[in-house]
Amino acid sequence: MFDLAGGKIKISLLLLITGMFLFSPGFLFAQSVNTELDNFITAYYHSKQVPSISAGVAKNGKITWLGARGYADIENMVPATNKTVYRIASISKSITAVAVMQLVEQKKIDLDADVRRYIPYLPQYKWKFTTRQLLNHTSGVRDYRTGEFDSKIYYKNTKEVVQYITKDSLAYEPGTQYRYSTIAYNLLAAIIEHVSGMSFSDYLEKHIFSPAGMQSTHVELQQDIILYRAHGYMKDGFRKIRNAPLADLSIKYPGGGMISTSEDLLKFAVNLMQGKLISHAMLDTMLVPTKLKSGKYISYGLGFGLGTDSKGRKYFSHTGGGTGFSSLLMMYPSERLATVHLTNVRDRNLDNPAETLAEIMLREKFQVPKKSFADYLVNIARSGNVDSAITAIKDVNPKITAEYNVSNEEYLLFGNDLLNMGRSIDGIRFFKFYINEYPKDAKGFVGLGDAYYKDGNIGLAINSFRLALRLDPFNAYAEKMIKKLNRRRP
């Protein structure tokens, strides 16, 4: 029979335990921080006016929060969800680098051996370079040329891409410079294929994606049907959202051609920090800053950027900026924290929401995202003249600064927007106003030089660029433009 008295005791005990859990500090913190994360991503979506954003947090080996806002496909009004698949661009490098380090750990790759040991069909160069130098962007292998970032050409295999890239001689002596190169990572795929006997994509599926439970991560084959794939966008000179150009990613699968979800990238981060993909010792090897032959150190290791926050906490990360997409994956190993964001637009001033997610989790003060004041000025100038926008700048008040990012950078962006809209006369007028307000800012004279150049006044353009160099003698752009325009002078 049911013991009523005993039943009451058991029920009361259950309620007590449940209540202790529900109102425990840890539970309340989790509830409040998740609300804060939700509020932030909503504010970011509205302020930055991105088509969509997907983001997530993992803490202590578990994914604790995921969120998505906006549209994966604007034309068909398809909402972004936690299942939405985004182009992760250069975060692909980190995945490729971990795959290489698995084979290093198995003694199948020597990081400091001549790469030709593993890619016998490479041409003979003036200098030798190593797998380590490919990983840390000091190999001398060139990066994109015009048209290659948004390449429309389909390369059927890794060897075909490598042979195309390596027709060119090395751009500099390996180890002497740091020059970021996405397409150089194709040589790492070739190394993986040579020592593993598998195709690059098959190796990733078997040794990275499957063990980590990353079911939605693959190299992006343009022709394949991929469920929940987001459409990529960009903003034009009038600050209107447009479809991003078509790009075939076969020229850069290892360095920028993978697709994934926020959840999958957090699984990758968790497994990596837990030592399940490579050992902790091998991960430590990846996180050593690169040292050039000159003795200079670069804050990039083997497939990861390296950083330290304002409180001295170390993290490693990788950003991504592909055709129509932007992203960031961050990992704080000591805090056992990982954050990620993915957006389906490539644009200026998107900030790094994954950094803010980390700040929220670490209980740091963070900046509430603000709208672009440059975009605000574009809307004014579009319906009126540049004088209306200049008046708006003069009338900036606390209400405006609370809502918009009002800064010199935003003013300069607006000036360039005028030039992108083909309004060079307005651009000249605006940059003259800017220089009057900020006479010691070389960027204002650079903008004025560009405006004169767009208007066809070569002499005044050269003069403006020279004034920029007086204020900033190391301004490479101004120097380049002066040389270019002097060649065009009659």
Side-chain angles (χ1 to χ4, degrees), residues 102 198 200-212:
Q102 287 180 337
M198 304 171 66
F200 175 66
S201 59
D202 284 348
Y203 182 90
L204 293 183
E205 291 287 346
K206 183 174 181 179
H207 297 285
I208 302 285
F209 303 151
S210 181

Side-chain angles (χ1 to χ4, degrees), residues 10-243:
K10 291 176 182 176
I11 292 171
S12 298
L13 183 60
L14 177 61
L15 290 173
L16 177 62
I17 294 170
T18 304
M20 288 172 62
F21 171 72
L22 287 175
F23 298 104
S24 66
F27 179 78
L28 291 175
F29 169 77
Q31 289 290 89
S32 64
V33 77
N34 283 356
T35 299
E36 206 165 354
L37 295 167
D38 283 330
N39 291 341
F40 167 74
I41 195 177
T42 299
Y44 180 89
Y45 167 67
H46 289 296
S47 295
K48 297 300 180 181
Q49 298 181 344
V50 295
S52 76
I53 178 170
S54 170
V57 169
K59 178 68 175 172
N60 296 327
K62 295 182 180 179
I63 297 173
T64 57
W65 175 84
L66 292 167
R69 301 288 186 275
Y71 292 93
D73 182 337
I74 296 174
E75 290 174 309
N76 295 297
M77 300 294 285
V78 178
T81 71
N82 295 335
K83 292 183 178 181
T84 300
V85 176
Y86 292 78
R87 188 172 290 172
I88 65 172
S90 288
I91 296 176
S92 305
K93 292 181 179 68
S94 299
I95 295 173
T96 298
V98 170
V100 169
M101 298 307 285
Q102 287 180 337
L103 296 166
V104 171
E105 194 158 28
Q106 296 168 26
K107 309 295 185 186
K108 294 181 179 180
I109 296 175
D110 180 344
L111 282 174
D112 298 308
D114 184 351
V115 164
R116 296 187 77 254
R117 176 191 296 184
Y118 309 110
I119 315 176
Y121 56 84
L122 277 188
Q124 189 71 48
Y125 290 111
K126 179 179 179 181
W127 300 289
K128 296 178 181 180
F129 60 94
T130 67
T131 302
R132 186 188 302 275
Q133 290 169 331
L134 286 170
L135 286 165
N136 63 24
H137 303 287
T138 64
S139 68
V141 178
R142 70 172 181 85
D143 195 22
Y144 296 120
R145 286 184 172 166
T146 302
E148 290 177 343
F149 182 84
D150 296 324
S151 173
K152 311 295 187 291
I153 300 171
Y154 172 67
Y155 295 89
K156 61 186 178 184
N157 56 47
T158 301
K159 184 176 182 179
E160 189 174 302
V161 184
V162 169
Q163 288 180 324
Y164 165 72
I165 296 166
T166 56
K167 288 178 182 177
D168 301 296
S169 58
L170 296 181
Y172 56 91
E173 181 185 349
T176 62
Q177 298 182 42
Y178 170 86
R179 290 195 197 176
Y180 190 84
S181 176
T182 291
I183 58 176
Y185 263 56
N186 285 292
L187 277 71
L188 294 171
I191 293 170
I192 290 170
E193 291 182 345
H194 178 78
V195 302
S196 71
M198 304 171 66
S199 71
F200 175 66
S201 59
D202 284 348
Y203 182 90
L204 293 183
E205 291 287 346
K206 183 174 181 179
H207 297 285
I208 302 285
F209 303 151
S210 181
M214 302 165 66
Q215 298 181 353
S216 299
T217 307
H218 314 281
V219 297
E220 184 178 6
L221 298 174
Q222 183 65 37
Q223 66 272 26
D224 281 6
I225 301 298
I226 298 173
L227 295 179
Y228 310 114
R229 176 160 50 178
H231 193 92
Y233 300 93
M234 58 183 288
K235 290 189 179 181
D236 65 14
F238 295 86
R239 306 302 296 145
K240 293 290 186 181
I241 291 178
R242 295 285 185 260
N243 288 318

Side-chain angles (χ1 to χ4, degrees), residues 179-349:
R179 290 195 197 176
Y180 190 84
S181 176
T182 291
I183 58 176
Y185 263 56
N186 285 292
L187 277 71
L188 294 171
I191 293 170
I192 290 170
E193 291 182 345
H194 178 78
V195 302
S196 71
M198 304 171 66
S199 71
F200 175 66
S201 59
D202 284 348
Y203 182 90
L204 293 183
E205 291 287 346
K206 183 174 181 179
H207 297 285
I208 302 285
F209 303 151
S210 181
M214 302 165 66
Q215 298 181 353
S216 299
T217 307
H218 314 281
V219 297
E220 184 178 6
L221 298 174
Q222 183 65 37
Q223 66 272 26
D224 281 6
I225 301 298
I226 298 173
L227 295 179
Y228 310 114
R229 176 160 50 178
H231 193 92
Y233 300 93
M234 58 183 288
K235 290 189 179 181
D236 65 14
F238 295 86
R239 306 302 296 145
K240 293 290 186 181
I241 291 178
R242 295 285 185 260
N243 288 318
L246 176 68
D248 187 294
L249 304 190
S250 57
I251 195 173
K252 54 181 171 184
Y253 287 148
M258 299 182 202
I259 53 175
S260 189
T261 63
S262 290
E263 181 177 10
D264 268 15
L265 289 177
L266 290 175
K267 289 178 179 178
F268 170 72
V270 166
N271 278 271
L272 182 61
M273 289 192 291
Q274 290 180 338
K276 294 180 179 178
L277 294 176
I278 54 175
S279 68
H280 289 111
M282 197 58 55
L283 178 58
D284 288 342
T285 299
M286 298 183 74
L287 305 183
V288 175
T290 295
K291 184 180 181 180
L292 301 180
K293 288 186 177 180
S294 65
K296 179 182 178 181
Y297 282 92
I298 306 296
S299 57
Y300 192 95
L302 305 182
F304 287 107
L306 311 175
T308 304
D309 69 12
S310 60
K311 295 294 179 65
R313 291 174 293 228
K314 292 185 177 181
Y315 62 85
F316 58 101
S317 64
H318 217 297
T319 57
T323 307
F325 294 83
S326 302
S327 53
L328 172 62
L329 174 64
M330 296 186 72
M331 284 157 275
Y332 280 79
S334 296
E335 287 69 29
R336 300 177 67 194
L337 172 68
T339 62
V340 65
H341 80 260
L342 304 169
T343 63
N344 56 335
V345 67
R346 185 174 170 85
D347 193 28
R348 68 193 189 199
N349 287 357

